[in-house]
Amino acid sequence: MSELGALREALREHERVAAARRAHEAAERARRERAAREFVDAVGPVTPLPEPQRQRRVLHAPLRPEPVPRQRELDERAALREAWSDAVDIESLLHTDDGLSFGRPGIGPDVLARLRRGHWAIQGEVDLHGLRREEARDALADFLALASRRGWRCVRVVHGKGLGSPGREPVLKGKAQRWLAQAQAVLAFAQASGPQGGAGALIVLLRG
């Protein structure tokens, strides 16, 4: 008898679950029908497309990327490198009162002071340390071109302190200063503070 009672209880539970499922399905159908009626009321009568047209798909060609003037960039970079002279004298243009710095005409001492203090966030960096002269010049030209494309205003140029050079002289330091002074994109530069690289780096302010 106990088994018969359990069977009856299982049948009743199954019927309750089935009834609940039917009620849910009915409510869902009613909701969809109500939504369809509201849609028709909002947009007006519509004519369904024939079945073949509903199955048809229009395939659009992917958008082609904007052309990159690669050759022009290479030409401009080559012209920039060739325009930089290692022999140009910029000693008269360098300020050494509160640390080495350079500013174009119109750049006041307050700008140089803020540059030395790290007033602007550094947005990019190039490391010339350990490169040969031509490699370093190419790397700096590429970096300034990249900074211009990205709209960077303040960057860091690491040239090293020359501790591994013959005579322990910072060869790239003077060359980097000369190159930067000849780059029209550069408004000013200053020797980095200790935490930013000290005598082994320059903080450079670029045109906007």
Side-chain angles (χ1 to χ4, degrees):
M1 293 297 293
S2 59
E3 293 180 359
L4 182 58
L7 179 59
R8 289 174 178 171
E9 183 61 30
L11 290 174
R12 284 194 292 270
E13 179 63 23
H14 177 75
E15 182 60 30
R16 284 195 296 270
V17 171
R21 183 171 62 250
R22 288 192 297 270
H24 174 74
E25 292 173 351
E28 183 63 20
R29 283 194 302 272
R31 186 191 66 80
R32 288 198 296 266
E33 291 172 357
R34 184 171 61 255
R37 287 194 301 271
E38 292 174 353
F39 176 79
V40 172
D41 292 341
V43 303
V46 296
T47 302
L49 290 173
E51 185 65 24
Q53 293 189 28
R54 288 206 301 268
Q55 295 176 354
R56 188 177 305 164
R57 297 291 184 270
V58 178
L59 300 179
H60 297 279
L63 295 177
R64 299 180 61 182
E66 291 293 328
V68 178
R70 184 60 178 166
Q71 187 58 50
R72 188 184 70 187
E73 291 180 357
L74 293 174
D75 293 341
E76 291 176 352
R77 186 179 66 184
L80 181 63
R81 292 197 306 266
E82 293 172 2
W84 290 352
S85 170
D86 293 344
V88 65
D89 181 14
I90 63 168
E91 297 301 323
S92 61
L93 304 176
L94 295 175
H95 307 275
T96 57
D97 48 356
D98 294 325
L100 182 144
S101 60
F102 164 86
R104 297 203 179 280
I107 299 297
D110 57 327
V111 173
L112 299 177
R114 281 183 288 173
L115 196 58
R116 284 193 295 267
R117 291 197 301 266
H119 176 79
W120 290 280
I122 295 175
Q123 297 170 288
E125 174 183 299
V126 61
D127 190 351
L128 310 179
H129 184 253
L131 299 180
R132 298 185 180 185
R133 181 177 66 90
E134 291 301 324
E135 294 173 338
R137 185 159 58 178
D138 288 350
L140 183 57
D142 290 345
F143 176 71
L144 291 181
L146 172 66
S148 177
R149 290 195 301 271
R150 296 188 176 179
W152 291 344
R153 291 298 313 279
C154 186
V155 297
R156 176 166 48 205
V157 175
V158 179
H159 49 65
K161 299 179 180 179
L163 300 180
S165 303
R168 300 174 69 84
E169 291 292 329
V171 177
L172 283 181
K173 180 176 182 178
K175 295 187 183 301
Q177 295 169 8
R178 289 179 174 84
W179 296 337
L180 289 171
Q182 295 174 80
Q184 292 303 310
V186 174
L187 290 177
F189 61 78
Q191 181 174 296
S193 62
Q196 293 180 327
L202 297 169
I203 307 301
V204 184
L205 183 65
L206 302 175
R207 297 183 188 276

